[in-house]
Amino acid sequence: MDNRMVYFDQQQRLSLQSGIALPAAQSLLQLAGQQAVASTLIAIPKPASLLAELERAYSQGYEQHASTEFELQGIAVAGSGDPLLHLDLLAEVIPAFKAQRHGVPVTLVTYGLVAPAEAEVLCQQLLALEVEKLEVYLPAANPPAYQQAVQPKQLGFAEVCQFIHTAAEAGLPVSCFAYAPVKQVSELRGLAKELGAREFLLIGS
């Protein structure tokens, strides 16, 4: 497996490098303390190369231990960039992967910093691509704390909250997450639920 394009995240889930475009100061890999992984990833992977690495991982036994469909982790699209800023790559990789591997769930790991005017159309595109799940980074429960934690280049707390709500309303299963340690966990769980997310995950706790 070429770990310059495909790697295992903190949940031991097979993850794809999506590119390097970011809406915030740091990649989620960096925030997770995985700078070493981030530094090895190819900046702009080719769809055909990603598909070849995914097929290699599955042919070598990734997920063979799963006894039921509920144990299947599937793949995540994340990497050193934000997958929502690499829709051209998603549009090539996801349908081709699903044609090869029927029933394998696809998750996008994202900041969710999407302009409200674009959110509904984007969610419909993700539904058309048969994305099974969104994991949206939500490390703070108010605008000042969010600004400090994320340092967004554009948009902010209001927009990520609106995107979570729009995605949930569109029928996309949404989870919110943060990396431990984080303050106000109970407030974050409450906010995530209020916005329509199915759960709030504290990773690394």
Side-chain angles (χ1 to χ4, degrees):
M1 191 171 74
D2 189 340
N3 61 7
R4 296 173 301 165
M5 289 180 286
V6 177
Y7 62 95
F8 288 98
D9 65 14
Q10 288 184 308
Q11 302 173 64
Q12 291 304 299
R13 176 178 55 192
L14 192 62
S15 298
L16 287 66
Q17 160 71 328
S18 59
I20 57 173
L22 270 174
Q26 298 184 78
S27 74
L28 291 171
L29 273 174
Q30 291 171 304
L31 292 174
Q34 295 185 285
Q35 290 91 337
V37 172
S39 67
T40 64
L41 296 175
I42 292 173
I44 306 174
K46 295 181 180 179
S49 298
L50 279 172
L51 287 164
E53 292 308 316
L54 287 174
E55 185 57 30
R56 182 185 304 182
Y58 273 89
S59 66
Q60 291 177 349
Y62 175 63
E63 286 196 331
Q64 277 187 356
H65 63 280
S67 58
T68 71
E69 64 177 311
F70 300 106
E71 295 177 4
L72 294 173
Q73 295 192 77
I75 63 169
V77 186
S80 56
D82 192 304
L84 297 186
L85 298 179
H86 297 282
L87 287 178
D88 53 341
L89 182 78
L90 301 186
E92 289 195 56
V93 170
I94 293 177
F97 173 72
K98 285 181 173 289
Q100 291 175 341
R101 295 282 168 179
H102 301 288
V104 175
V106 175
T107 299
L108 304 188
V109 183
T110 176
Y111 274 105
L113 286 163
V114 177
E118 302 170 6
E120 189 169 343
V121 171
L122 175 59
C123 289
Q124 292 305 316
Q125 290 175 303
L126 299 181
L127 286 167
L129 288 172
E130 299 181 20
V131 169
E132 276 82 7
K133 187 177 180 183
L134 290 177
E135 292 182 1
V136 181
Y137 184 56
L138 188 67
N142 61 71
Y146 182 87
Q147 187 73 23
Q148 182 177 5
V150 174
Q151 300 176 48
K153 297 177 184 177
Q154 57 187 15
L155 310 175
F157 181 74
E159 286 79 13
V160 72
C161 289
Q162 181 61 54
F163 177 70
I164 293 166
H165 177 71
T166 300
E169 286 285 300
L172 283 161
V174 184
S175 293
C176 296
F177 73 96
Y179 298 115
V182 68
K183 299 177 181 178
Q184 300 178 316
V185 173
S186 60
E187 289 89 339
L188 285 167
R189 285 200 176 99
L191 174 61
K193 184 176 181 180
E194 181 182 334
L195 294 171
R198 298 190 174 189
E199 60 184 345
F200 175 81
L201 304 171
L202 187 59
I203 299 173
S205 58

